[in-house]
Protein backbone atom coordinates (compact mmCIF):
# COMPACT_ATOMS: atom_id res chain seq x y z
CA UNK A 1 0.00 0.00 0.00
CA UNK A 2 1.03 3.57 -0.65
CA UNK A 3 1.33 6.53 1.72
CA UNK A 4 -1.43 8.40 -0.13
CA UNK A 5 -3.91 5.65 0.86
CA UNK A 6 -3.71 6.93 4.44
CA UNK A 7 -4.54 10.57 3.85
CA UNK A 8 -7.86 12.11 4.94
CA UNK A 9 -9.22 15.54 5.82
CA UNK A 10 -9.27 16.05 9.58
CA UNK A 11 -11.04 19.18 10.85
CA UNK A 12 -8.81 21.17 13.24
CA UNK A 13 -11.53 21.28 15.90
CA UNK A 14 -11.32 17.49 16.34
CA UNK A 15 -7.74 17.59 17.62
CA UNK A 16 -8.15 17.27 21.37
CA UNK A 17 -6.51 20.08 23.36
CA UNK A 18 -7.66 18.60 26.69
CA UNK A 19 -8.61 15.09 27.87
CA UNK A 20 -12.18 14.20 28.87
CA UNK A 21 -13.05 15.34 32.41
CA UNK A 22 -12.95 11.77 33.75
CA UNK A 23 -10.52 9.26 32.24
CA UNK A 24 -13.07 6.51 31.60
CA UNK A 25 -15.77 8.82 30.22
CA UNK A 26 -14.17 9.49 26.86
CA UNK A 27 -16.20 8.30 23.87
CA UNK A 28 -15.55 4.74 22.72
CA UNK A 29 -16.16 3.45 19.22
CA UNK A 30 -16.49 -0.34 19.18
CA UNK A 31 -15.68 -2.04 15.88
CA UNK A 32 -16.53 -5.67 15.19
CA UNK A 33 -14.00 -6.89 12.64
CA UNK A 34 -15.98 -9.83 11.33
CA UNK A 35 -19.29 -8.08 10.73
CA UNK A 36 -18.12 -4.50 10.23
CA UNK A 37 -20.64 -3.38 12.85
CA UNK A 38 -19.81 -0.09 14.63
CA UNK A 39 -21.17 0.87 18.06
CA UNK A 40 -20.88 4.15 19.98
CA UNK A 41 -20.25 3.80 23.71
CA UNK A 42 -18.33 5.36 26.61
CA UNK A 43 -14.91 4.04 27.55
CA UNK A 44 -16.12 2.53 30.82
CA UNK A 45 -18.49 0.30 28.76
CA UNK A 46 -15.35 -1.56 27.64
CA UNK A 47 -15.88 -3.95 30.55
CA UNK A 48 -18.94 -5.43 28.82
CA UNK A 49 -16.77 -6.88 26.05
CA UNK A 50 -14.44 -8.91 28.29
CA UNK A 51 -14.86 -12.06 30.37
CA UNK A 52 -12.95 -14.06 32.95
CA UNK A 53 -9.63 -15.30 31.62
CA UNK A 54 -9.32 -12.62 28.93
CA UNK A 55 -6.05 -10.68 29.01
CA UNK A 56 -5.24 -7.01 28.59
CA UNK A 57 -1.66 -6.16 27.69
CA UNK A 58 -0.59 -2.80 29.13
CA UNK A 59 2.50 -0.71 28.38
CA UNK A 60 3.71 0.44 31.80
CA UNK A 61 6.29 2.95 30.54
CA UNK A 62 6.35 6.28 32.36
CA UNK A 63 6.67 9.66 30.66
CA UNK A 64 9.39 11.93 32.03
CA UNK A 65 9.32 15.74 31.77
CA UNK A 66 11.40 15.80 28.60
CA UNK A 67 10.97 19.41 27.44
CA UNK A 68 13.41 21.98 28.83
CA UNK A 69 14.02 25.62 27.99
CA UNK A 70 17.52 27.07 28.16
CA UNK A 71 19.36 30.18 27.10
CA UNK A 72 22.26 30.24 24.70
CA UNK A 73 25.49 31.69 26.04
CA UNK A 74 26.32 35.26 24.96
CA UNK A 75 23.11 35.90 22.95
CA UNK A 76 20.71 34.69 25.64
CA UNK A 77 18.41 33.28 22.89
CA UNK A 78 15.72 30.99 24.28
CA UNK A 79 16.22 27.43 23.06
CA UNK A 80 13.89 24.47 23.50
CA UNK A 81 15.70 21.24 24.32
CA UNK A 82 13.72 18.01 24.01
CA UNK A 83 15.42 15.10 25.79
CA UNK A 84 15.16 11.92 23.71
CA UNK A 85 17.37 9.40 25.47
CA UNK A 86 20.27 9.14 27.84
CA UNK A 87 23.39 7.87 26.06
CA UNK A 88 25.83 7.67 28.98
CA UNK A 89 24.83 8.18 32.61
CA UNK A 90 28.38 8.62 33.88
CA UNK A 91 29.28 11.31 31.33
CA UNK A 92 25.74 12.76 31.38
CA UNK A 93 25.41 12.52 27.61
CA UNK A 94 21.96 12.86 26.04
CA UNK A 95 20.43 12.67 22.59
CA UNK A 96 18.19 15.72 22.21
CA UNK A 97 16.26 17.79 19.69
CA UNK A 98 16.80 21.55 19.72
CA UNK A 99 14.60 24.34 18.41
CA UNK A 100 15.50 26.63 16.70
CA UNK A 101 18.23 24.27 15.51
CA UNK A 102 20.02 26.65 13.13
CA UNK A 103 21.32 28.62 16.11
CA UNK A 104 22.88 25.66 17.91
CA UNK A 105 26.32 24.49 16.84
CA UNK A 106 28.99 22.21 18.28
CA UNK A 107 30.75 23.96 21.15
CA UNK A 108 27.78 26.15 22.11
CA UNK A 109 26.73 26.19 25.76
CA UNK A 110 23.16 26.37 27.06
CA UNK A 111 22.17 27.53 30.55
CA UNK A 112 19.07 26.26 32.35
CA UNK A 113 17.07 27.55 35.30
CA UNK A 114 17.10 30.93 37.01
CA UNK A 115 20.28 30.10 38.90
CA UNK A 116 21.97 28.57 35.81
CA UNK A 117 23.39 25.72 37.91
CA UNK A 118 22.70 23.33 35.02
CA UNK A 119 24.74 23.87 31.88
CA UNK A 120 24.94 21.79 28.70
CA UNK A 121 27.57 21.77 25.99
CA UNK A 122 26.78 20.72 22.42
CA UNK A 123 29.28 18.04 21.42
CA UNK A 124 27.76 16.61 18.22
CA UNK A 125 25.19 17.15 15.46
CA UNK A 126 23.14 14.01 14.84
CA UNK A 127 20.36 15.17 12.48
CA UNK A 128 19.08 18.55 11.26
CA UNK A 129 17.44 19.13 14.67
CA UNK A 130 19.27 16.48 16.67
CA UNK A 131 22.24 17.18 18.92
CA UNK A 132 24.26 15.33 21.54
CA UNK A 133 24.60 17.32 24.77
CA UNK A 134 26.95 16.84 27.69
CA UNK A 135 25.35 18.20 30.85
CA UNK A 136 27.61 19.89 33.39
CA UNK A 137 26.30 19.83 36.93
CA UNK A 138 28.01 19.99 40.32
CA UNK A 139 26.24 17.25 42.20
CA UNK A 140 25.51 13.53 42.32
CA UNK A 141 23.81 11.68 39.48
CA UNK A 142 20.61 11.46 41.59
CA UNK A 143 20.66 15.23 42.12
CA UNK A 144 21.29 15.76 38.42
CA UNK A 145 18.26 13.64 37.43
CA UNK A 146 16.14 15.49 39.98
CA UNK A 147 17.31 18.79 38.49
CA UNK A 148 16.22 17.65 35.02
CA UNK A 149 12.84 16.70 36.47
CA UNK A 150 12.46 20.03 38.26
CA UNK A 151 13.33 22.06 35.17
CA UNK A 152 11.50 19.91 32.63
CA UNK A 153 7.85 20.10 31.65
CA UNK A 154 5.36 17.49 30.49
CA UNK A 155 6.14 16.82 26.81
CA UNK A 156 2.69 17.44 25.32
CA UNK A 157 2.62 16.92 21.54
CA UNK A 158 3.39 20.05 19.51
CA UNK A 159 -0.06 20.21 17.92
CA UNK A 160 -1.48 21.17 21.35
CA UNK A 161 -1.06 24.92 21.09
CA UNK A 162 -1.81 25.83 24.71
CA UNK A 163 0.74 26.05 27.52
CA UNK A 164 1.32 23.00 29.70
CA UNK A 165 -0.89 23.10 32.80
CA UNK A 166 -0.44 21.47 36.20
CA UNK A 167 -3.12 18.86 35.45
CA UNK A 168 -1.13 17.60 32.45
CA UNK A 169 1.49 16.08 34.75
CA UNK A 170 -1.17 13.64 35.94
CA UNK A 171 -3.37 13.29 32.86
CA UNK A 172 -0.56 12.73 30.33
CA UNK A 173 0.43 9.61 32.25
CA UNK A 174 -1.33 6.26 32.58
CA UNK A 175 -2.36 5.34 36.13
CA UNK A 176 -0.25 2.17 35.85
CA UNK A 177 2.96 3.91 34.66
CA UNK A 178 5.99 2.45 36.45
CA UNK A 179 9.25 2.59 34.50
CA UNK A 180 10.44 6.01 33.44
CA UNK A 181 11.78 6.37 29.92
CA UNK A 182 9.06 7.54 27.51
CA UNK A 183 8.93 10.97 25.87
CA UNK A 184 5.33 10.44 24.79
CA UNK A 185 2.48 8.68 26.57
CA UNK A 186 1.07 5.35 25.36
CA UNK A 187 -2.19 7.22 24.92
CA UNK A 188 -4.75 4.40 24.65
CA UNK A 189 -3.96 3.62 28.28
CA UNK A 190 -4.83 7.15 29.44
CA UNK A 191 -8.52 6.18 29.47
CA UNK A 192 -8.19 3.59 32.24
CA UNK A 193 -9.26 4.78 35.69
CA UNK A 194 -8.47 2.97 38.94
CA UNK A 195 -12.16 2.17 39.27
CA UNK A 196 -12.38 0.60 35.79
CA UNK A 197 -9.21 -1.47 36.32
CA UNK A 198 -10.62 -2.73 39.61
CA UNK A 199 -13.94 -3.69 37.99
CA UNK A 200 -12.09 -5.57 35.22
CA UNK A 201 -10.01 -7.36 37.85
CA UNK A 202 -13.13 -8.37 39.81
CA UNK A 203 -14.64 -9.71 36.58
CA UNK A 204 -11.60 -12.00 36.23
CA UNK A 205 -9.75 -10.19 33.45
CA UNK A 206 -5.98 -10.75 33.69
CA UNK A 207 -3.32 -8.15 32.98
CA UNK A 208 0.12 -8.56 31.42
CA UNK A 209 2.53 -5.64 31.47
CA UNK A 210 5.37 -4.88 29.10
CA UNK A 211 7.57 -1.80 28.91
CA UNK A 212 8.09 -0.03 25.60
CA UNK A 213 9.67 3.39 26.08
CA UNK A 214 7.85 5.47 23.50
CA UNK A 215 10.17 7.75 21.52
CA UNK A 216 9.29 10.54 19.13
CA UNK A 217 10.02 8.18 16.24
CA UNK A 218 6.57 6.65 16.73
CA UNK A 219 5.13 9.95 15.52
CA UNK A 220 7.67 10.77 12.81
CA UNK A 221 5.93 11.55 9.53
CA UNK A 222 6.28 8.97 6.78
CA UNK A 223 7.92 10.73 3.86
CA UNK A 224 8.14 7.90 1.32
CA UNK A 225 5.25 6.79 -0.88
CA UNK A 226 6.50 3.18 -0.74
CA UNK A 227 5.85 2.18 2.90
CA UNK A 228 8.40 -0.63 2.82
CA UNK A 229 11.13 2.03 2.60
CA UNK A 230 10.11 3.82 5.83
CA UNK A 231 12.42 3.18 8.79
CA UNK A 232 11.10 3.39 12.35
CA UNK A 233 13.35 4.70 15.12
CA UNK A 234 14.36 2.05 17.66
CA UNK A 235 12.64 2.04 21.04
CA UNK A 236 13.60 0.09 24.15
CA UNK A 237 11.40 -2.92 24.94
CA UNK A 238 11.27 -5.19 28.00
CA UNK A 239 8.95 -8.20 28.35
CA UNK A 240 9.45 -10.31 31.47
CA UNK A 241 8.60 -13.94 32.19
CA UNK A 242 5.49 -13.08 34.18
CA UNK A 243 3.96 -11.32 31.14
CA UNK A 244 4.79 -14.24 28.82
CA UNK A 245 3.15 -16.72 31.21
CA UNK A 246 -0.10 -14.72 31.37
CA UNK A 247 -0.26 -14.17 27.60
CA UNK A 248 0.71 -17.73 26.62
CA UNK A 249 -1.86 -19.20 29.02
CA UNK A 250 -4.52 -17.07 27.30
CA UNK A 251 -3.31 -18.31 23.89
CA UNK A 252 -3.61 -21.92 25.10
CA UNK A 253 -7.12 -21.26 26.43
CA UNK A 254 -8.19 -19.39 23.28
CA UNK A 255 -9.09 -16.28 25.28
CA UNK A 256 -9.37 -12.72 24.10
CA UNK A 257 -5.95 -10.99 24.20
CA UNK A 258 -6.26 -7.23 23.97
CA UNK A 259 -3.31 -4.97 23.20
CA UNK A 260 -3.92 -1.63 24.91
CA UNK A 261 -2.41 0.74 22.38
CA UNK A 262 -0.23 0.56 19.30
CA UNK A 263 2.90 0.44 21.47
CA UNK A 264 1.69 -2.66 23.33
CA UNK A 265 0.87 -4.24 19.96
CA UNK A 266 4.33 -3.42 18.58
CA UNK A 267 5.88 -4.85 21.73
CA UNK A 268 3.99 -8.14 21.38
CA UNK A 269 4.77 -8.46 17.68
CA UNK A 270 8.47 -7.82 18.34
CA UNK A 271 8.77 -10.86 20.62
CA UNK A 272 6.82 -13.62 18.89
CA UNK A 273 8.32 -17.11 18.69
CA UNK A 274 8.13 -19.16 15.49
CA UNK A 275 5.19 -21.12 16.93
CA UNK A 276 3.17 -17.99 17.72
CA UNK A 277 3.89 -17.65 21.42
CA UNK A 278 5.26 -14.70 23.37
CA UNK A 279 8.95 -14.72 24.32
CA UNK A 280 10.71 -12.69 26.98
CA UNK A 281 12.57 -9.75 25.47
CA UNK A 282 15.09 -7.15 26.52
CA UNK A 283 16.46 -4.90 23.84
CA UNK A 284 15.33 -2.54 21.11
CA UNK A 285 12.64 -2.74 18.46
CA UNK A 286 12.06 -0.80 15.26
CA UNK A 287 9.07 -2.90 14.21
CA UNK A 288 6.91 -1.15 11.61
CA UNK A 289 3.49 -2.72 11.06
CA UNK A 290 1.61 -1.84 7.89
CA UNK A 291 -0.75 -3.74 5.56
CA UNK A 292 -0.70 -6.56 4.72
CA UNK A 293 0.36 -8.04 8.07
CA UNK A 294 -0.55 -11.18 10.02
CA UNK A 295 -0.87 -10.51 13.75
CA UNK A 296 0.35 -13.37 15.91
CA UNK A 297 -0.87 -12.76 19.46
CA UNK A 298 -3.46 -10.04 20.12
CA UNK A 299 -6.92 -10.60 18.63
CA UNK A 300 -8.35 -7.37 19.99
CA UNK A 301 -7.06 -3.86 20.54
CA UNK A 302 -7.75 -0.52 22.24
CA UNK A 303 -6.40 2.54 20.45
CA UNK A 304 -7.00 6.26 19.99
CA UNK A 305 -7.84 8.02 16.73
CA UNK A 306 -4.69 8.80 14.78
CA UNK A 307 -3.50 11.47 12.41
CA UNK A 308 -3.50 11.14 8.61
CA UNK A 309 -0.47 9.36 7.09
CA UNK A 310 0.78 8.22 10.52
CA UNK A 311 2.43 4.84 11.17
CA UNK A 312 -0.20 4.33 13.89
CA UNK A 313 -3.03 4.60 11.36
CA UNK A 314 -1.22 2.10 9.14
CA UNK A 315 -1.17 -0.44 11.98
CA UNK A 316 -4.92 0.01 12.52
CA UNK A 317 -5.53 -0.54 8.81
CA UNK A 318 -3.48 -3.75 8.97
CA UNK A 319 -5.50 -4.94 11.98
CA UNK A 320 -9.07 -4.23 10.84
CA UNK A 321 -8.74 -3.97 7.06
CA UNK A 322 -8.32 -0.78 5.07
CA UNK A 323 -11.95 -0.32 4.00
CA UNK A 324 -13.32 -0.82 7.51
CA UNK A 325 -10.71 1.58 8.88
CA UNK A 326 -11.78 4.24 6.37
CA UNK A 327 -15.44 3.68 7.21
CA UNK A 328 -14.75 3.95 10.95
CA UNK A 329 -12.73 7.15 10.58
CA UNK A 330 -15.39 8.72 8.36
CA UNK A 331 -17.97 7.95 11.04
CA UNK A 332 -15.67 9.26 13.78
CA UNK A 333 -15.42 12.62 12.02
CA UNK A 334 -19.21 12.75 11.47
CA UNK A 335 -19.80 11.94 15.16
CA UNK A 336 -17.19 14.50 16.33
CA UNK A 337 -14.87 12.02 18.04
CA UNK A 338 -11.73 13.72 19.33
CA UNK A 339 -8.42 12.68 17.79
CA UNK A 340 -4.87 12.02 18.94
CA UNK A 341 -3.22 11.92 22.36
CA UNK A 342 -6.00 13.42 24.51
CA UNK A 343 -8.73 12.18 22.19
CA UNK A 344 -11.38 9.47 22.30
CA UNK A 345 -10.86 5.72 21.96
CA UNK A 346 -11.63 2.77 19.73
CA UNK A 347 -12.06 -0.87 20.73
CA UNK A 348 -11.46 -3.32 17.90
CA UNK A 349 -12.76 -6.85 18.53
Amino acid sequence: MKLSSFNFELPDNLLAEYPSEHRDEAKLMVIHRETGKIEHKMFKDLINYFDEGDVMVLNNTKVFPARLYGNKEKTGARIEVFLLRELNAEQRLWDVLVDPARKIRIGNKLYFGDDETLVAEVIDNTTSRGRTLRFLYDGSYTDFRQKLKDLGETPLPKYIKRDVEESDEDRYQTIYAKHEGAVAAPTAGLHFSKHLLKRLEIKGVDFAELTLHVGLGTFNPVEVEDLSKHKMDSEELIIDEKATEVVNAAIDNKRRICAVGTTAMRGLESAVSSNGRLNTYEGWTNKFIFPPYDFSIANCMVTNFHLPKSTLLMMISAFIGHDLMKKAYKEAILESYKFYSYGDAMLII
Side-chain angles (χ1 to χ4, degrees):
M1 294 196 81
K2 303 289 186 194
L3 176 63
S4 48
S5 311
F6 296 92
N7 201 14
F8 63 91
E9 284 297 318
L10 179 61
D12 287 345
N13 66 316
L14 296 186
L15 283 173
E17 289 272 319
Y18 288 92
S20 57
E21 189 181 350
H22 301 290
R23 285 182 186 265
D24 58 13
E25 289 185 355
K27 286 158 76 168
L28 178 71
M29 179 183 283
V30 183
I31 299 175
H32 299 260
R33 289 195 288 171
E34 282 186 16
T35 63
K37 180 184 169 188
I38 293 175
E39 299 178 276
H40 301 287
K41 303 285 184 180
M42 287 182 87
F43 194 81
K44 59 188 176 187
D45 298 328
L46 177 96
I47 192 165
N48 300 326
Y49 297 89
F50 292 89
D51 295 310
E52 188 175 347
D54 290 341
V55 169
M56 289 194 161
V57 182
L58 310 174
N59 181 5
N60 64 16
T61 187
K62 191 173 187 179
V63 180
F64 66 94
R67 190 173 276 128
L68 305 173
Y69 292 95
N71 296 99
K72 190 180 169 189
E73 63 177 337
K74 295 178 184 161
T75 66
R78 188 173 192 248
I79 306 294
E80 179 190 306
V81 172
F82 195 101
L83 302 172
L84 291 178
R85 63 174 69 106
E86 186 174 51
L87 299 175
N88 184 307
E90 201 179 319
Q91 296 180 37
R92 297 179 188 175
L93 294 183
W94 281 77
D95 248 347
V96 306
L97 295 177
V98 292
D99 190 24
R102 59 191 161 74
K103 295 185 174 181
I104 303 301
R105 298 186 174 90
I106 293 172
N108 286 162
K109 283 192 175 147
L110 299 169
Y111 293 84
F112 300 90
D114 295 337
D115 56 3
E116 297 186 345
T117 51
L118 182 66
V119 182
E121 184 180 3
V122 182
I123 62 168
D124 197 12
N125 289 344
T126 51
T127 62
S128 58
R129 286 182 59 213
R131 302 288 184 272
T132 301
L133 297 188
R134 177 187 285 118
F135 282 96
L136 313 169
Y137 182 72
D138 292 331
S140 68
Y141 178 73
T142 308
D143 290 347
F144 163 65
R145 287 303 298 247
Q146 187 57 47
K147 189 76 175 172
L148 287 184
K149 202 171 273 191
D150 293 344
L151 291 171
E153 70 174 32
T154 302
L156 290 185
K158 279 283 194 186
Y159 82 86
I160 293 180
K161 302 295 183 217
R162 63 176 175 82
D163 288 341
V164 172
E165 296 173 16
E166 207 175 309
S167 62
D168 292 312
E169 194 177 333
D170 172 53
R171 293 303 303 272
Y172 196 63
Q173 194 84 269
T174 63
I175 60 166
Y176 47 78
K178 287 186 186 134
H179 304 295
E180 198 170 81
V183 299
T187 53
L190 297 179
H191 302 291
F192 285 86
S193 63
K194 283 181 180 155
H195 181 62
L196 179 57
L197 280 182
K198 195 72 195 162
R199 287 175 64 215
L200 285 161
E201 201 181 302
I202 290 165
K203 197 169 183 182
V205 174
D206 291 324
F207 296 94
E209 296 185 11
L210 56 77
T211 306
L212 189 143
H213 290 315
V214 190
L216 282 187
T218 296
F219 309 105
N220 276 353
V222 180
E223 290 171 341
V224 285
E225 186 64 13
D226 179 354
L227 301 185
S228 65
K229 292 188 165 53
H230 176 70
K231 295 283 181 284
M232 292 285 279
D233 282 1
S234 290
E235 294 168 321
E236 194 176 3
L237 170 66
I238 299 150
I239 301 175
D240 64 18
E241 208 163 310
K242 188 179 169 194
T244 64
E245 285 167 5
V246 172
V247 169
N248 290 332
I251 292 171
D252 292 341
N253 295 320
K254 298 187 166 44
R255 302 306 309 173
R256 186 165 273 173
I257 300 169
C258 183
V260 176
T262 56
T263 60
M265 184 67 91
R266 284 181 61 230
L268 291 172
E269 290 297 317
S270 299
V272 180
S273 68
S274 55
N275 61 348
R277 296 171 74 75
L278 184 63
N279 287 333
T280 57
Y281 193 99
E282 189 159 351
W284 296 78
T285 178
N286 61 354
K287 186 89 175 165
F288 175 31
I289 298 173
F290 61 96
Y293 185 88
D294 289 327
F295 291 82
S296 302
I297 290 177
N299 47 29
C300 149
M301 165 176 208
V302 176
T303 188
N304 278 21
F305 288 89
H306 307 296
L307 296 188
K309 295 185 177 180
S310 63
T311 59
L312 312 175
L313 184 63
M314 291 162 194
M315 182 193 290
I316 303 313
S317 167
F319 194 65
I320 65 174
H322 198 68
D323 291 342
L324 184 51
M325 182 272 287
K326 282 169 73 175
K327 178 187 167 189
Y329 269 62
K330 195 173 177 181
E331 191 152 328
I333 290 168
L334 280 173
E335 297 290 334
S336 297
Y337 276 73
K338 292 290 189 182
F339 278 64
Y340 212 41
S341 300
Y342 271 156
D344 294 312
M346 178 188 279
L347 170 63
I348 306 164
I349 52 178

